[in-house]
Every structure is written in structure tokens, then in C-alpha cells.
């Protein structure tokens, strides 16, 4: 099995049409089940393109998310690395029993039962936020796509709703290349977490009671930050793609069954075609392993090509929009319910809603690295 690097950079920034396939995905699939590329921070990265192998890797205990295993030459900011597990215990950094213990604390608070109970409030929030902007042309990506998931999250967590604007500013600050802006954003998230814990009316206080006994206040704040930031980061771009396809290409999302089943199928198809992230977060081998005949050394950076795997997964199949294995996204049910609630509001309140530009003219922005893309703009009229 060859280990020659692919010619095209899979991490380049750019723009493309909403449904325009990324040429690099076809190149990677053609190159084999595991391909080598140049990592954004330098050196090799191996990318898994085969669906079955991808699921095996995501469940392999010899592959870790702990960034302490990253190449020493990588800069955290250049590579887009999270803190290591030692620096910051979190669902996205821990492995094994420590991860399982933290996941047990979160799971009931974000599972299907709890999110189903919260669904009517999600519908009401979507309805209330859309009502003031109905009737006139508006770009839903300018404010609504971020405000809606953060309003849902703040209410669920117990953050006072006057903190939504603070949360929006903090989420945007996290994407800055200026480390002082990122520090200011993290400080704002700490204030929001404190407000949620002091309020005592949301799942933040329930999470505090369920966390391991040795959890510090700072670690608890980080868990709440992760729910706010990752929750917005997942739903925001998917929301744009969902509305664009519902209004501009509804036939592609058609499904038989009840209205609820149609909404769920539409959301599932959008997440398959436009996953929140094109790749998984960074993973690293803990020992030398062999994948598809290629020997990878210990500490080798690994990614799963989520967008490419999903493209060859049948509609309704087991795609990787939220990953797989022990690190399957804890907020998957939250994101699905939020998107279904928005689809319901559009269907029932705004049946004549339309795009104000041709569907084919919509563009998606790809920031580069392993970050997901989002629509540059989504001009609509809600009627």
C-alpha cells in the first residue's frame, strides 16, 4: 500500500457553491482508505476515507484525542489544538474510564428524553426570534443562525437570557487569531457559567451535582463553556444549510410520512450532506499501528474524513455527522431537536417563505484547517 501524499491540500480556505463538491474529497477517496497529507502546522497527517475503517479507528483505544500526543513542533494556535487532558479534563480530551465517568455525568441531561421534553420550548424560541424579522428581506446568517442555538443553550443551562449577546460575542471571539481576544472570550464564558450556576434553574446546576467529587470550580466552568461553544458551533452552520435546502431545493429533502417524520428526515439528510465539521477533531496514535496496510508510528496525527464518508453513505444510513464510538457527540440530540424545531416553525408559520437569491448563487465559506464551513449569507423573506 502506497503512502505517497495527495497533491491537493485538504485544509485550504476558500468558497464554493452550496452543493458544489470539494474536488479534494474525490481525490482522497481515489487515493485509498488511508491517505497522507501535509498538516496545517507542518508534517504528515493521515486521513481515513473508508467508512468501515473510520468507525474502527473511532472505537480504537490505541487512537487518542489527548493533544499531549501531538507533534512537539506544532503550535497550538496554528494546529487548532485543544488543551491536553492534563491541562483541561473534558469530554473532548479524556479517554478511557475518566472519559466514561465524565460522559455519565452529562448524558442524561442531553439525551433524547430530556431534549424531547425541551422541544416545545425550542419551537417557541425559534418562533419568537423569527417573528420580528418576518415580512422583509433578512440575512439569517448575520444574526439568527447564531442567536437561535445560543438562546436555546442559555435557557437550558440556566444562563439569564440577557447573556445571549455576551455569548454571541464570545463565540465569535473564539475564532480570532488574536490571543487576547480569545482570552477575553474565555473570561466572558466564565461569567456566563457563573451566572448559570448561581441561578440554579437549568442543567448547569444539575451537571454540577453529577460531576465527579474532585471537580474544581474551574473545571466545571470549562464543561459549561464547552456546551455553549460547541453547541453553537454545531447548529449554527447546519441551520443555514437546512433553511437553504428547505426553501431552495425542497425536493432533495422530500420524505414520506407524518410532518414530524419529514422534518426529521430533512434534518438527517442535511447533516449527512453538510456535517458540522469536515473532519473529526485531532486524534493521535498511542503506539505504532497498521491501517489498511500502512504502518503509522506512535504519535501519528489522524483525522477521519467525515464529509467524504458521509458522501458515500446512503440517505438514512449510519453517517458520521456526529462521529462514532466513545466520543460520539454528546450534543447530537440537542442539535437534531433544535433543527427539527426550526423546520417545524418554517413549515407551519411561514409556508410561503422563500430565498431572495437563486439557490445556485448561495456560497459556503471554508475557513480552512479542520473547521467546518457555513453559508456566507442566507437572504430570505419569511411569509
Amino acid at each position: 500500500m502506497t503512502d505517497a501524499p495527495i497533491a491537493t491540500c485538504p485544509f485550504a480556505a476558500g468558497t464554493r457553491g452550496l452543493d458544489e463538491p470539494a474536488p479534494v474529497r474525490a481525490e482522497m477517496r481515489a487515493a485509498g482508505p488511508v491517505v497522507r497529507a501535509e498538516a496545517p502546522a507542518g508534517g504528515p497527517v493521515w486521513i481515513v476515507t473508508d467508512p468501515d475503517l473510520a468507525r474502527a479507528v473511532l472505537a480504537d483505544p490505541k487512537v487518542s484525542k489527548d493533544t499531549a500526543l501531538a507533534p512537539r513542533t506544532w503550535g497550538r494556535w496554528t494546529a487548532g489544538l485543544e488543551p491536553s487532558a492534563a491541562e483541561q479534563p473534558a469530554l473532548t480530551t479524556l479517554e478511557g474510564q475518566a472519559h466514561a465517568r465524565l460522559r455519565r455525568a452529562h448524558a442524561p441531561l442531553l439525551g433524547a428524553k430530556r431534549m424531547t421534553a425541551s422541544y416545545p420550548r425550542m419551537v417557541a424560541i425559534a418562533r419568537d426570534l423569527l417573528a420580528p424579522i418576518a415580512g422583509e428581506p433578512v440575512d439569517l446568517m448575520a444574526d439568527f443562525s447564531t442567536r437561535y442555538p445560543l438562546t436555546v443553550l442559555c435557557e437550558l443551562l440556566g444562563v439569564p437570557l440577557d447573556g445571549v449577546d455576551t455569548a454571541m460575542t464570545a463565540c465569535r471571539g473564539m475564532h480570532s487569531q488574536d490571543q487576547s481576544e480569545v482570552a477575553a472570550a474565555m473570561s466572558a464564558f466564565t461569567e456566563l457559567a457563573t451566572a448559570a450556576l448561581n441561578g440554579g434553574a437549568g442543567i448547569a446546576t444539575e451537571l454540577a451535582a453529577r460531576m465527579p467529587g474532585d471537580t474544581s470550580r474551574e473545571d466545571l466552568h470549562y464543561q459549561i463553556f464547552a456546551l455553549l461553544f460547541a453547541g453553537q458551533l454545531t447548529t449554527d452552520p447546519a441551520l443555514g444549510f437546512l433553511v437553504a435546502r428547505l426553501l431552495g431545493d425542497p425536493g432533495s429533502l422530500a420524505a414520506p410520512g407524518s410532518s414530524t417524520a419529514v422534518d426529521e428526515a430533512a434534518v438527517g439528510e442535511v447533516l449527512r450532506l453538510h456535517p458540522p465539521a469536515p473532519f473529526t477533531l485531532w486524534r493521535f496514535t498511542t503506539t505504532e499501528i497498521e491501517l489498511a496496510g500502512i504502518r503509522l508510528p506512535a504519535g501519528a496525527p489522524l483525522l477521519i474524513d467525515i464529509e467524504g464518508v458521509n458522501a458515500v453513505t446512503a440517505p438514512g444510513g449510519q453517517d458520521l455527522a456526529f462521529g462514532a464510538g466513545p466520543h460520539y457527540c454528546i450534543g447530537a440530540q440537542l442539535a437534531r431537536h433544535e433543527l427539527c424545531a426550526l423546520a417545524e416553525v418554517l413549515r407551519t408559520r411561514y409556508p410561503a417563505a422563500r430565498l431572495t437569491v437563486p439557490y445556485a448563487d448561495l456560497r459556503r465559506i471554508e475557513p480552512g484547517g479542520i473547521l467546518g464551513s457555513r453559508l456566507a449569507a442566507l437572504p430570505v423573506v419569511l411569509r
Side-chain angles (χ1 to χ4, degrees):
M1 178 70 67
T2 181
D3 190 26
I6 58 173
T8 306
C9 175
F11 309 111
T15 63
R16 56 182 162 119
L18 190 156
D19 287 333
E20 180 184 349
V24 71
R25 301 242 122 55
E27 181 182 347
M28 288 194 293
R29 282 198 301 274
V34 179
V35 299
R36 181 158 61 94
E38 180 76 8
V45 54
W46 287 266
I47 303 173
V48 179
T49 66
D50 177 78
D52 292 334
L53 183 59
R55 292 185 180 86
V57 168
L58 291 172
D60 192 336
K62 297 186 294 298
V63 178
S64 173
K65 293 183 73 176
D66 188 353
T67 58
L69 298 167
R72 301 300 180 196
T73 57
W74 282 16
R76 175 173 292 178
W77 297 99
T78 305
L81 295 175
E82 297 177 89
S84 68
E87 293 171 315
Q88 184 55 71
L91 284 170
T92 52
T93 62
L94 293 170
E95 299 289 356
Q97 289 302 311
H99 172 262
R101 184 173 62 163
L102 192 56
R103 193 175 184 90
R104 285 194 296 271
H106 284 76
L109 307 179
L110 296 165
K113 183 177 180 180
R114 189 66 174 266
M115 293 302 99
T116 299
S118 299
Y119 181 80
R121 278 299 302 150
M122 297 179 194
V123 171
I125 289 169
R127 184 181 64 235
D128 292 347
L129 290 177
L130 289 176
I133 58 176
E136 298 295 332
V138 63
D139 177 9
L140 292 185
M141 300 307 293
D143 184 270
F144 176 79
S145 68
T146 304
R147 185 174 298 277
Y148 168 57
L150 282 174
T151 302
V152 171
L153 283 160
C154 284
E155 181 164 306
L156 282 173
L157 288 165
V159 176
L161 291 187
D162 61 6
V164 172
D165 285 334
T166 299
M168 291 177 67
T169 300
C171 283
R172 288 166 178 160
M174 291 297 293
H175 298 290
S176 174
Q177 295 301 308
D178 184 337
Q179 295 186 29
S180 66
E181 290 188 24
V182 176
M186 290 300 297
S187 178
F189 279 121
T190 296
E191 293 176 7
L192 292 168
T194 300
L197 292 168
N198 290 342
I203 65 174
T205 53
E206 294 181 60
L207 179 62
R210 296 180 57 85
M211 290 288 285
D214 58 352
T215 301
S216 69
R217 192 74 169 179
E218 290 74 18
D219 284 348
L220 182 56
H221 287 165
Y222 190 88
Q223 313 311 315
I224 298 170
F225 147 72
L227 292 175
L228 277 168
F229 182 56
Q232 175 271 325
L233 197 63
T234 297
T235 307
D236 186 333
L239 181 157
F241 293 122
L242 175 66
V243 175
R245 294 181 73 90
L246 286 174
L247 302 188
D249 191 21
S252 69
L253 301 178
S258 66
S259 296
T260 299
V262 170
D263 292 343
E264 291 174 351
V267 167
E269 185 65 351
V270 164
L271 290 168
R272 181 183 74 85
L273 295 170
H274 309 288
F279 300 102
T280 51
L281 294 175
W282 289 109
R283 283 167 166 78
F284 308 93
T285 56
T286 60
T287 186
E288 183 180 276
I289 65 172
E290 181 176 316
L291 295 178
I294 296 174
R295 301 294 298 182
L296 273 62
L302 265 177
L303 291 171
I304 306 299
D305 180 19
I306 294 177
E307 188 174 322
V309 167
N310 282 9
V312 297
T313 300
Q318 293 185 335
D319 61 59
L320 297 179
F322 294 106
H327 285 282
Y328 182 81
C329 178
I330 198 76
Q333 288 292 336
L334 168 62
R336 290 184 184 278
H337 280 74
E338 285 178 306
L339 294 170
C340 284
L342 176 59
E344 178 180 328
V345 172
L346 289 174
R347 173 170 49 77
T348 58
R349 290 296 183 104
Y350 304 105
R354 62 178 178 84
L355 299 175
T356 62
V357 299
Y359 177 79
D361 288 351
L362 294 175
R363 306 292 294 174
R364 60 196 293 173
I365 300 172
E366 298 182 316
I370 63 173
L371 295 176
S373 63
R374 73 194 302 268
L375 291 181
L378 181 56
V380 305
V381 172
L382 301 173
R383 290 176 179 158

